[in-house]
């Protein structure tokens, strides 16, 4: 950030009065520009036969690696709505509900990832502009070494342990 | 948003190529300025005798109304760290762990509120610049009609139902 988005004048990076950490501040119009982590909402879609749906990313970062469908939450939607919207956009899977089962912070990336478990109503899914391939995997087929993100690995592992441990929400923080 | 924070030129509000919703876009340096919901992290502190700690807000909005301690999550911290930091800043309660028990979206405000249940190690707490009064309440004493935010009411109600229903995470969306 170099300029004030409100008035267009240069900003400076300093600790505002009454605060305890540096922010981008505009001395012209007095706006303090706070920067906060972003929420990524994702789903773990389960087919009627119990297999898990994964998407091969067709976009950077981590192009050609496998991921659970998800993306940045938008204003004017709930975390669940964001997760379901991204699942449609990336894998053409339609669901209208889901259960939050993992909340994983990634402080280094300024992100919080929220994962929902969803039941696919049928075997409908498709590749999209964002996913070059969309495929169902048995527990033993999951491509652990080709997963796009550590948070996805962490959420998948937690899901696979759930049947033994009863439903619980994983809440953790990853270093990067 | 009127100006590009990267180059200082005026932005326009339009649907970028390949996108499906309008964004603030800079045609000068091609930056797309995404706007996303913010995470608010809070705690429900429980004293050794089971009473619940609430803070009377000393700042707007909702000055003089009661709330659970919390505030905007910062970059470089996890949701739990954010919740514990705010609890220290607002009520001088120190804890080093907590359990996520409610995730409440407020699409209208572009916010997601994440609530942690924490056990206070002792009866230490204090008023601060942000809280004119900090006080412990029995279940029957909670000032329902003077709570600052609907999400706080919702989280408190869920907490009070937990002993009967077993531990579960409330995940919902509020209209405003
Ligand atoms: Zn300004
Ligand atoms: Zn620009």
């Amino acid at each position: 950030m170099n300029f004030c988005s409100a008035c267009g004048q240069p900003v400076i990076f300093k600790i505002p009065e009454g605060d305890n950490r540096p922010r981008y501040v505009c001395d012209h119009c007095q706006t303090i520009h706070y920067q906060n982590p972003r929420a990524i909402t994702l789903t773990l879609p389960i087919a009627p036969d119990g297999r898990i749906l994964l998407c091969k990313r067709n976009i950077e970062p981590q192009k050609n690696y496998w991921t659970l469908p998800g993306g940045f939450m938008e204003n004017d939607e709930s975390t669940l709505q964001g997760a379901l919207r991204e699942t449609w956009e990336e894998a053409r899977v339609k669901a209208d509900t889901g259960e939050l089962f993992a909340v994983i912070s990634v402080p280094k990336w300024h992100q919080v990832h929220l994962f929902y478990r969803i039941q696919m109503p049928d075997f409908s899914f498709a590749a999209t502009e964002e996913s070059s391939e969309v495929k169902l995997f048995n527990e033993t087929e999951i491509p652990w070494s080709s997963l796009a993100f550590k948070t996805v690995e962490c959420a998948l592992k937690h899901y696979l342990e759930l049947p033994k441990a009863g439903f619980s929400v994983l809440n953790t923080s990853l270093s990067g």
Side-chain angles (χ1 to χ4, degrees), chain A:
Chain A
M1 173 169 286
N2 305 306
F3 298 93
C4 174
S5 56
C7 78
Q9 295 301 303
V11 289
I12 53 173
F13 195 59
K14 67 169 187 185
I15 300 178
E17 214 186 295
D19 203 338
N20 53 19
R21 65 188 72 205
R23 316 277 183 187
Y24 290 100
V25 177
C26 177
D27 278 340
H28 186 74
C29 74
Q30 312 307 327
T31 302
I32 301 170
H33 298 277
Y34 295 96
Q35 297 188 304
N36 301 92
R38 294 204 284 172
I40 318 286
T41 52
L42 311 94
T43 67
L44 190 157
I46 304 162
D49 63 2
R51 282 186 292 169
I52 295 165
L53 181 140
L54 294 176
C55 304
K56 189 183 257 186
R57 288 174 63 82
N58 196 32
I59 44 174
E60 296 293 355
Q62 296 295 83
K63 188 172 172 173
N64 295 325
Y65 284 80
W66 292 92
T67 188
L68 293 168
F72 288 104
M73 185 184 175
E74 301 277 4
N75 286 343
D76 305 310
E77 70 186 2
S78 69
T79 50
L80 174 61
Q81 286 167 339
L84 297 177
R85 175 185 51 73
E86 289 285 349
T87 303
W88 173 255
E89 289 175 6
E90 300 196 346
R92 293 292 179 267
V93 168
K94 210 149 202 158
D96 52 19
T97 188
E99 287 169 288
L100 184 68
F101 75 97
V103 177
I104 306 176
S105 298
V106 193
K108 207 166 96 177
W109 299 349
H110 310 159
Q111 292 181 358
V112 181
H113 293 213
L114 298 105
F115 293 84
Y116 284 85
R117 180 170 77 168
I118 65 170
Q119 292 293 336
M120 294 165 59
D122 50 42
F123 287 94
S124 304
F125 58 86
T128 60
E129 262 182 56
E130 294 171 61
S131 310
S132 58
E133 203 179 335
V134 177
K135 207 175 142 184
L136 299 176
F137 294 85
N138 281 317
E139 178 168 348
T140 55
E141 297 166 338
I142 291 172
W144 295 106
S145 58
S146 308
L147 293 179
F149 306 110
K150 182 85 179 158
T151 57
V152 167
E153 179 187 332
C154 205
L156 277 167
K157 283 187 176 159
H158 180 65
Y159 166 73
L160 293 172
E161 285 162 9
L162 280 183
K164 299 150 210 156
F167 190 74
S168 68
V169 176
L170 172 69
N171 181 224
T172 188
S173 176
L174 295 180
S175 58

